[in-house]
Amino acid sequence: MGQDIEVIRDKNAMRNWSRNRRVQGEKISLVPTMGYLHSGHLALVKAAKTRAPRVVVSIYINPAQFAAGEDFSTYPSNFEGDLNKLRALGVDAVFIPADLYVREDNAKGEGKVEDKNVGECTSFLEEKSGNGHETWIRVDKMEKPLCGKSRPIFFRGVATVVAKLFNIVEPDFAVFGKKDYQQWRLICRMVRDLDFAVEIVGSEIVRDSDGLALSSRNVHLSPKERREALSICRSLTKVRNAVCNGEISSGILRHLVVENILKAGGKIDYVE
């Protein structure tokens, strides 16, 4: 069993904790998560510990990145289990706020907002009156392609909550997994453009023994869906082998992925 962890739920208490460590000359690494931790998250924590003597892990299911109809209400959680895993790794503090956003009358609302860049969109945060949280960070060009095509409010929510975490925790380093590659690159760009005094560290993908990239949402996969999901990893392996054998046509390489995923029963969001 590792050391005891400070569990911090208040924003000001979290900021004071960090500043007290800074006064002592200590640097801080932050690992932002939404909880239900797996070996991929724990690899991020281990990477964070190589950067700074103090490590903070945040656990917060961010409503701003979920559109209506997505899995905000069913996102898996197991705080006690997460705490035990983090304790074993010697994490210093866990920041688990009840809410990071200002709500009208402290009531959670689900409403619509008109955004000239997104069009009419619905999230689990925005309120009908508009008197709650209304400030967003947009990484304008980088958020639009790839995952952003089908999830137009996702990266706006990610960039905003990460900026809030940086302002609260005030870390020297922040570690993100490269499984969410576009997200990692987008955070790097936000930090560059807004002069955050945080070094962003990218950590490599961690896969299960069968090749499936670890994800908290994997718990919702049926055995059949899990087998079908393996087509993604296998397709990428075929592309890598083709490139090593001299194939450089992006069209042919893309077709390899599309063909294998469709053959396994999958649906294509994008292949780029």
Side-chain angles (χ1 to χ4, degrees):
M1 186 65 69
Q3 67 183 41
D4 200 15
I5 302 179
E6 262 191 86
V7 177
I8 303 172
R9 301 179 185 274
D10 177 74
K11 291 185 284 189
N12 290 326
M14 181 70 254
R15 188 178 288 113
N16 289 336
W17 185 95
S18 294
R19 290 180 177 179
N20 288 336
R21 272 49 186 190
R22 285 183 172 279
V23 167
Q24 299 172 36
E26 296 178 326
K27 290 187 179 295
I28 299 167
S29 286
L30 170 66
V31 180
T33 81
M34 294 204 300
Y36 208 74
L37 305 182
H38 51 67
S39 296
H41 293 113
L42 304 185
L44 303 183
V45 173
K46 292 173 184 175
K49 288 177 70 67
T50 68
R51 298 285 178 150
R54 298 293 184 180
V55 174
V56 176
V57 174
S58 63
I59 297 176
Y60 181 64
I61 302 176
N62 175 35
Q65 69 193 60
F66 289 84
E70 293 184 344
D71 60 341
F72 175 67
S73 60
T74 60
Y75 194 87
S77 64
N78 179 7
F79 178 62
E80 288 304 319
D82 291 345
L83 206 59
N84 289 334
K85 293 174 183 177
L86 297 176
R87 185 180 291 113
L89 289 180
V91 168
D92 297 281
V94 177
F95 180 45
I96 178 167
D99 200 351
L100 284 178
Y101 298 95
V102 174
R103 312 280 188 144
E104 182 185 20
D105 298 326
N106 295 319
K108 294 182 179 179
E110 183 178 334
K112 292 185 177 180
V113 62
E114 186 71 26
D115 186 305
K116 64 181 179 181
N117 295 312
V118 174
E120 190 181 72
C121 60
T122 308
S123 83
F124 281 86
L125 172 66
E126 291 141 347
E127 295 167 337
K128 295 176 181 178
S129 68
N131 291 329
H133 181 95
E134 61 174 331
T135 304
W136 303 101
I137 292 180
R138 308 298 300 265
V139 185
D140 193 49
K141 290 188 175 71
M142 194 173 285
E143 71 174 33
K144 290 176 181 176
L146 307 177
C147 292
K149 286 182 180 179
S150 59
R151 303 186 73 188
I153 66 170
F154 175 71
F155 288 117
R156 179 191 73 173
V158 168
T160 301
V161 79
V162 170
K164 289 172 75 66
L165 288 169
F166 287 172
N167 285 332
I168 294 165
V169 180
E170 299 180 347
D172 299 280
F173 306 94
V175 185
F176 293 84
K178 291 184 182 179
K179 176 176 71 69
D180 302 303
Y181 186 79
Q182 186 176 5
Q183 173 179 281
W184 169 60
R185 291 291 302 275
L186 180 134
I187 296 302
C188 289
R189 184 63 53 86
M190 179 189 76
V191 165
R192 184 200 73 176
D193 290 351
L194 297 183
D195 296 308
F196 280 100
V198 183
E199 180 179 334
I200 304 302
V201 179
S203 187
E204 298 301 326
I205 295 174
V206 177
R207 297 185 180 276
D208 218 332
S209 57
D210 59 6
L212 187 65
L214 295 182
S215 169
S216 298
R217 287 184 169 99
N218 287 354
V219 70
H220 291 316
L221 295 177
S222 69
K224 179 176 181 291
E225 289 168 335
R226 185 181 178 90
R227 288 193 299 272
E228 292 172 348
L230 292 174
S231 64
I232 300 173
C233 177
R234 289 169 182 162
S235 298
L236 294 175
T237 299
K238 288 188 176 184
V239 167
R240 180 182 61 192
N241 293 339
V243 171
C244 290
N245 289 326
E247 182 57 70
I248 59 172
S249 166
S250 61
I252 291 174
L253 297 171
R254 181 181 183 278
H255 178 71
L256 272 176
V257 177
V258 171
E259 182 182 45
N260 279 276
I261 290 177
L262 291 178
K263 189 181 295 183
K267 292 170 60 179
I268 300 296
D269 187 358
Y270 66 86
V271 178
E272 299 289 350

